[in-house]
Amino acid sequence: MPFPLADRVIQLAYDPGITPAGGGLPGLAVLKNVVNSINLFGIVAVVGALAVSLGVWAWGHHSGGHQAEANGKKGAVVAAGAALGLGAANAVVAFFSNLGSQVQ
């Protein structure tokens, strides 16, 4: 027996009642520690990439190597963007998680 269209729409709008809850699984503190360490490792790597890129930019500028200068500038911008993303990752996820929880 086929369901009427109204019943199908009601089934699509059903709320399963699932929400994020801290402390539900063992090892959550360990996972947070691992993710924090990965983020720190990424930030340290970005500092190194920025230093190398700025060095290439300066070397290219003073030696007349326009390609090296352009690559140094590009690397500096990419490293700055990566630093921005790593630093703002927690806030971005929290923002969109809160935004998603308001959808009804």
Side-chain angles (χ1 to χ4, degrees):
M1 172 173 154
F3 293 111
L5 181 61
D7 289 340
R8 290 184 193 158
V9 171
I10 289 172
Q11 287 178 348
L12 289 175
Y14 177 74
D15 180 18
I18 298 172
T19 57
L25 291 174
L28 185 60
V30 173
L31 181 62
K32 285 181 182 180
N33 192 17
V34 167
V35 172
N36 286 338
S37 298
I38 291 170
N39 195 359
L40 176 63
F41 181 78
I43 290 173
V44 170
V46 165
V47 169
L50 183 60
V52 169
S53 296
L54 293 176
V56 169
W57 184 358
W59 175 75
H61 177 74
H62 290 294
S63 68
H66 301 294
Q67 187 70 29
E69 183 179 0
N71 286 337
K73 287 179 188 178
K74 199 180 336 178
V77 169
V78 168
L84 178 67
L86 287 168
N90 195 35
V92 169
V93 170
F95 172 77
F96 283 107
S97 177
N98 289 334
L99 191 64
S101 67
Q102 296 174 7
V103 174
Q104 295 188 15

